């Protein structure tokens, strides 16, 4: 199967975990992005060190690491300016809203503070980022030769979770995590709203559940390893089309209920 071929990608939440895994996976594609932007809270942290070690080997281009706090509109605006300097009139093809946080909780222990903090990062952050990068996404969608909806043309991918599915309500006995579930359910509604509004401009909008990723030191303790998740997510992105707009998928390529 051919890999994901896309000219420019902005990936948020690259300080570690899935974000860093997706960054490496994109660079390992048969045709890696010409412009790969890693948005993180610490540009000199893991991504910066990985650049110097194993992300930047030739002839694969090095990702550009930018400070981007998705809860801060000024930080997002600054990132937009830096991306525009690189991509010019070609615009941005793919925005992956990956930044996320959680607070362990139950219905008995959940607090307004937790709800507010998690919602701000998991739901408002992707909204603000999508709004700010819309002009660049529209420019990519309107570029000559791009006709069909795809991640190669122009797309917003919101990294969600099956825990945000109201119909499935998975793993309730294992982890209630009210603030996280509610924020991801809201993110899924945001995806649908983005699809309804931006679809007419040729911008594909989809929610993706990457699975419960198992840290390397706990191999076998969870349903999916980082490598499996990254491989599955990137294969899925390569296959998404206009019929996928405003839908919810998992890393296996299976459609999920809202």
């Amino acid at each position: 199967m051919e890999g994901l071929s896309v000219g420019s990608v902005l990936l948020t939440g690259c300080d570690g975990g899935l974000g860093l895994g997706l960054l490496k996976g994109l660079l390992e594609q048969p045709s890696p992005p010409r412009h790969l932007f890693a948005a993180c809270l610490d540009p000199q942290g893991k991504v910066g060190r990985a650049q110097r070690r194993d992300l930047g080997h030739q002839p694969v281009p090095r990702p550009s690491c930018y400070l981007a706090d998705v809860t801060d509109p000024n930080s997002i605006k600054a990132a937009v300016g830096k991306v525009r300097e690189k991509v010019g009139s070609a615009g941005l093809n793919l925005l992956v809203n990956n930044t996320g946080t959680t607070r362990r909780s139950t219905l008995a222990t959940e607090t307004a503070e937790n709800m507010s903090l998690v919602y701000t990062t998991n739901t408002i952050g992707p909204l603000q980022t999508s709004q700010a990068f819309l002009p660049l996404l529209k420019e990519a969608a309107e570029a000559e030769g791009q006709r069909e909806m795809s991640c190669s043309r122009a797309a917003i991918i919101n990294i969600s979770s099956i825990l945000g599915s109201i119909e499935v309500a998975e793993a309730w006995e294992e982890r209630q995590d009210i603030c996280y579930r509610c924020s991801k359910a809201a993110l899924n509604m945001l995806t649908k709203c983005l699809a309804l509004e931006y679809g007419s401009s040729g911008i594909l909008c989809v929610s993706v559940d990457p699975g419960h990723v198992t840290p390397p030191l706990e191999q076998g303790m969870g349903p999916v390893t980082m490598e499996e998740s990254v491989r599955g997510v990137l294969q899925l992105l390569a296959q998404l089309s206009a019929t996928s707009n405003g839908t919810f998928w998992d890393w296996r390529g299976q459609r999920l209920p809202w």
Side-chain angles (χ1 to χ4, degrees):
M1 181 182 296
E2 293 185 6
L4 176 66
S5 178
V6 55
S8 57
V9 182
L10 173 71
L11 177 63
T12 70
C14 292
D15 291 282
L18 180 66
L20 191 57
L22 285 171
L23 192 67
K24 292 180 179 179
L26 285 164
L27 288 172
E28 291 168 356
Q29 293 296 291
S31 298
R34 293 190 302 275
H35 300 287
L36 181 55
F37 305 101
C40 45
L41 294 175
D42 181 12
Q44 303 304 317
K46 291 183 180 179
V47 175
R49 292 193 296 271
Q51 271 189 306
R52 295 186 291 271
R53 188 175 63 253
D54 61 348
L55 284 183
H57 57 80
Q58 295 296 327
V60 176
R62 294 178 178 231
S64 299
C65 304
Y66 297 140
L67 170 66
D69 180 354
V70 300
T71 68
D72 180 359
N74 290 327
S75 178
I76 298 171
K77 182 179 179 180
V80 171
K82 291 175 181 177
V83 170
R84 181 173 285 283
E85 288 177 5
K86 296 284 188 178
V87 301
S89 61
L92 177 69
N93 297 114
L94 178 59
L95 167 62
V96 182
N97 287 313
N98 170 69
T99 301
T101 189
T102 188
R103 299 289 189 279
R104 300 308 296 267
S105 65
T106 65
L107 274 173
T109 63
E110 191 57 86
T111 66
E113 181 182 15
N114 277 350
M115 291 287 286
S116 179
L117 286 170
V118 173
Y119 191 90
T120 297
T121 299
N122 293 2
T123 310
I124 298 175
L127 168 63
Q128 293 181 144
T129 306
S130 299
Q131 289 172 326
F133 279 94
L134 177 60
L136 285 172
L137 289 162
K138 281 187 173 181
E139 288 178 15
E142 294 167 359
E144 185 177 356
Q146 296 283 357
R147 296 174 180 262
E148 300 298 326
M149 264 190 179
S150 70
C151 289
S152 297
R153 180 185 180 189
I156 298 172
I157 302 299
N158 290 327
I159 299 300
S160 185
S161 170
I162 188 63
L163 296 183
S165 170
I166 295 173
E167 181 175 337
V168 175
E170 186 174 276
W172 178 255
E173 299 299 328
E174 289 80 13
R175 50 180 300 194
Q176 293 189 6
D177 291 0
I178 308 304
C179 55
Y180 184 77
R181 288 177 183 270
C182 291
S183 72
K184 291 300 186 179
L187 178 63
N188 286 344
M189 174 54 83
L190 174 62
T191 297
K192 191 69 174 182
C193 294
L194 293 172
L196 291 170
E197 184 67 15
Y198 296 170
S200 60
S201 297
I203 301 171
L204 178 68
C205 304
V206 173
S207 279
V208 175
D209 168 33
H212 180 199
V213 177
T214 304
L217 295 180
E218 299 179 15
Q219 189 169 0
M221 296 298 288
V224 55
T225 65
M226 177 68 73
E227 291 75 15
E228 290 170 332
S229 175
V230 168
R231 183 168 59 250
V233 168
L234 294 180
Q235 287 177 352
L236 170 68
L237 299 191
Q239 299 171 38
L240 295 175
S241 65
T243 58
S244 315
N245 194 36
T247 56
F248 186 18
W249 299 79
D250 72 5
W251 64 278
R252 301 179 183 89
Q254 298 175 343
R255 177 98 175 252
L256 297 176
W258 296 117

